[in-house]
Amino acid sequence: MIGVIRVFTTDNQDVLEQHGRIITEKYGVQVISKSIPDQPLGIYDDETEEIANPKIVELGKSMEHDGCKVLIISCAADPAIDALRQSVSIPVIGAGSAASYSALATGLPVGVMGITKEAPAVVSGLLGSRLVKYLRPEGVTNTTDILTPSGREKAIEAAQSLIDQGAKVIQFACTGFSTIGLADVLRNELRIPVIDSVEAEGLYASSLYLQTVTDNPIH
């Protein structure tokens, strides 16, 4: 199966499995989701990322031991990705790099939305000159803010602002946008391609995973 590492802490099983469900429904692969401990607000700055890094590595090692064939770090900053890759023997996909490669494949100017002050380094580094602008929706500073009606409204406003500044495709630099189904909202209301980071990570991970099995894992 594919192991999805959630970089925040939750006791809500429905929220925990949200990204995995998106991947299973879209790509037809088995997924197990687990979250790191003691970080209810997830990763939203350098300090919280540093605290999370060793937890991500230990969780990933445990998930490989439990039988996962591919791991996903479901966070657009790709936290601890190099350390985890050095600690396991299976492929590790990061949401930020997966989404950025998908955005680059369009050949269009990219507007990026996230919850940090600046775009994650992996995103801005990969996009380079294709990056038109990065925006954080007003009042959104962590993953839980996105789940509010106000957070959703501000995210739509931010996407429109990116379009007004020349973006032809929107890329999410926060996997929390997937939790509220924001990609389909923007696709329908703004009529613009949207690179959802969870969909992107699932695309790459499922392609790798399906090479390891001989039968369709979903029946």
Side-chain angles (χ1 to χ4, degrees):
M1 68 190 75
I2 295 172
V4 174
I5 298 173
R6 303 300 306 277
V7 300
F8 75 109
T9 307
T10 179
D11 293 326
N12 187 322
Q13 196 69 17
D14 184 64
V15 172
L16 173 65
E17 296 177 352
Q18 179 66 29
H19 294 178
R21 280 197 300 272
I22 292 170
I23 294 169
T24 295
E25 291 170 3
K26 196 166 187 68
Y27 304 108
V29 291
Q30 290 181 325
V31 175
I32 183 171
S33 301
K34 295 188 178 182
S35 63
I36 62 173
D38 304 321
Q39 292 200 216
L41 297 180
I43 292 176
Y44 53 88
D45 58 19
D46 291 342
E47 180 180 359
T48 51
E49 182 174 345
E50 184 176 350
I51 293 170
N53 284 342
K55 303 175 187 177
I56 293 168
V57 172
E58 289 307 309
L59 181 55
K61 289 163 62 177
S62 173
M63 294 175 82
E64 180 187 27
H65 181 267
D66 290 341
C68 291
K69 302 302 183 183
V70 181
L71 294 175
I72 292 172
I73 301 175
S74 200
C75 172
D78 287 9
I81 193 166
D82 290 334
L84 181 54
R85 284 171 172 165
Q86 293 171 9
S87 300
V88 298
S89 61
I90 57 178
V92 180
I93 304 298
S97 50
S100 297
Y101 285 126
S102 296
L104 286 171
T106 69
L108 299 171
V110 183
V112 179
M113 293 172 50
I115 64 171
T116 52
K117 289 183 179 180
E118 299 177 349
V122 64
V123 172
S124 57
L126 286 173
L127 292 180
S129 62
R130 288 288 181 185
L131 177 59
V132 172
K133 180 81 173 180
Y134 170 82
L135 284 180
R136 177 175 64 183
E138 183 182 349
V140 173
T141 58
N142 59 63
T143 304
T144 56
D145 290 335
I146 303 168
L147 301 177
T148 67
S150 175
R152 180 188 178 102
E153 179 181 347
K154 294 300 182 182
I156 295 172
E157 291 177 3
Q160 183 61 62
S161 177
L162 289 170
I163 294 169
D164 294 342
Q165 295 178 70
K168 301 299 183 182
V169 59
I170 301 295
Q171 175 184 333
F172 291 165
C174 175
T175 56
F177 291 136
S178 304
T179 305
I180 62 171
L182 184 61
D184 285 340
V185 173
L186 299 184
R187 290 163 183 156
N188 292 331
E189 293 192 10
L190 303 180
R191 301 297 179 183
I192 189 170
V194 177
I195 307 299
D196 181 294
S197 49
V198 172
E199 293 177 359
E201 70 190 17
L203 173 65
Y204 290 99
S206 62
S207 177
L208 288 168
Y209 173 71
L210 290 173
Q211 295 177 50
T212 71
V213 295
T214 57
D215 297 314
N216 188 341
I218 297 295
H219 300 283

